[in-house]
Amino acid sequence: MAAKPGVRPHDAVRHPLFARFYARLSILNDERGGVGSLRDELLAGLSGRVIEIGAGNGLNFARYPETVGEVVAVEPERHMRQLAAEAALRARVPVDVLAGTAEALPVADASFDAAVVSLVLCSLGDVPRALSELRRVLRPGGELRFFEHGVADGRPGMAAAQRLVDKTVWPLLFGGCHTGRDPLGGIAQAGFTDPDFRRVRIPERGPALPHSFHVLGRARSL
Ligand SMILES: C[S@@+](CC[C@H](N)C(=O)[O-])C[C@H]1O[C@@H](n2cnc3c(N)ncnc32)[C@H](O)[C@@H]1O
């Protein structure tokens, strides 16, 4: 429904302070923390029409290979979306930034060759619904690329700390982020198959943090 003139439409996700904080921190992480090259790995070899959900300030956009025909990027947070629209202008491929949420994607069934989620499943209101939306909009055989942080597998002490921070301060401080979710489990439960991934710790050295435990890979939608 179109908004009345002069009336700001309701924002599905609103984290104005976090959006400004993330816009700065994410650039530092990309440039000095090695995250930029992980984004390159995430996107390598993609082609055709791609949907990216929770695109944030659009740090993936300039890294899409030229074999991609079009990116549709969905971002609900107003400030992030503005930054994403600016980043879209610097991309080598056409990027269309849309308002919307991952749980109700404003796009047609089976209309994409690939979907990209990076550092976003941690922040969604309803992960199963969002992943089922991605299956709806991917064509049969379409690919999901993921770069996500989650539960510290095999480290019970850290996993307990993750549960504690998730129940208390972490989502409040970091735009709804949760550290202890299970991205691989969620992807499998949603019906994606043939997962191929590697685990990445960020930062690579030094003490681990609750959000240090990443997975980077791909799976298929049949
Ligand atoms: C930590 S940021 C990651 C941004 C970006 N994907 C990246 O790789 O840097 C998480 C993003 O998810 C967005 N988000 C939160 N809830 C969402 C939802 N329900 N649907 C889509 N995006 C959402 C936030 O607004 C934010 O831009």
Side-chain angles (χ1 to χ4, degrees), residues 6 19 29 34 84 91 94 96 102 140 147 155 170 175 179 195 201 212 215 217:
N29 284 341
D96 199 7
F147 169 45
R155 295 190 51 167
W170 203 274
T179 65
R201 216 194 91 168
S212 286
V215 286

Side-chain angles (χ1 to χ4, degrees), residues 11-171:
D11 288 321
V13 171
R14 209 171 131 65
H15 295 298
L17 283 179
F18 172 74
R20 284 161 178 81
F21 165 74
Y22 187 78
R24 284 162 186 260
L25 179 75
S26 56
I27 292 170
L28 273 181
N29 284 341
D30 271 29
E31 289 173 0
R32 298 195 199 159
V35 174
S37 57
L38 296 171
R39 294 184 188 276
D40 286 336
E41 185 178 335
L42 172 75
L43 307 174
L46 284 174
S47 60
R49 286 194 90 213
V50 178
I51 185 162
E52 178 174 339
I53 59 164
N57 44 336
L59 288 184
N60 286 331
F61 297 170
R63 298 177 183 273
Y64 277 99
E66 286 178 41
T67 42
V68 167
E70 182 193 6
V71 177
V72 173
V74 177
E75 172 53 53
E77 212 286 331
R78 181 184 299 255
H79 183 67
M80 290 284 206
R81 196 166 60 247
Q82 279 165 2
L83 296 174
E86 289 163 23
L89 302 175
R90 300 189 289 274
R92 289 176 290 177
V93 304
V95 180
D96 199 7
V97 179
L98 304 182
T101 66
E103 292 88 347
L105 293 173
V107 294
D109 295 1
S111 52
F112 290 90
D113 300 293
V116 171
V117 291
S118 72
L119 309 175
V120 67
L121 297 182
C122 57
S123 302
L124 298 180
D126 187 338
V127 177
R129 195 160 147 198
L131 289 169
S132 118
E133 274 291 88
L134 288 181
R135 290 212 58 208
R136 175 182 72 76
V137 305
L138 278 172
R139 65 165 169 77
E143 198 174 39
L144 174 69
R145 296 284 183 97
F146 54 89
F147 169 45
E148 292 291 333
H149 68 84
V151 63
D153 271 335
R155 295 190 51 167
M158 178 56 87
Q162 289 178 320
R163 285 194 293 279
L164 179 67
V165 296
D166 285 356
K167 273 194 223 144
T168 52
V169 293
W170 203 274

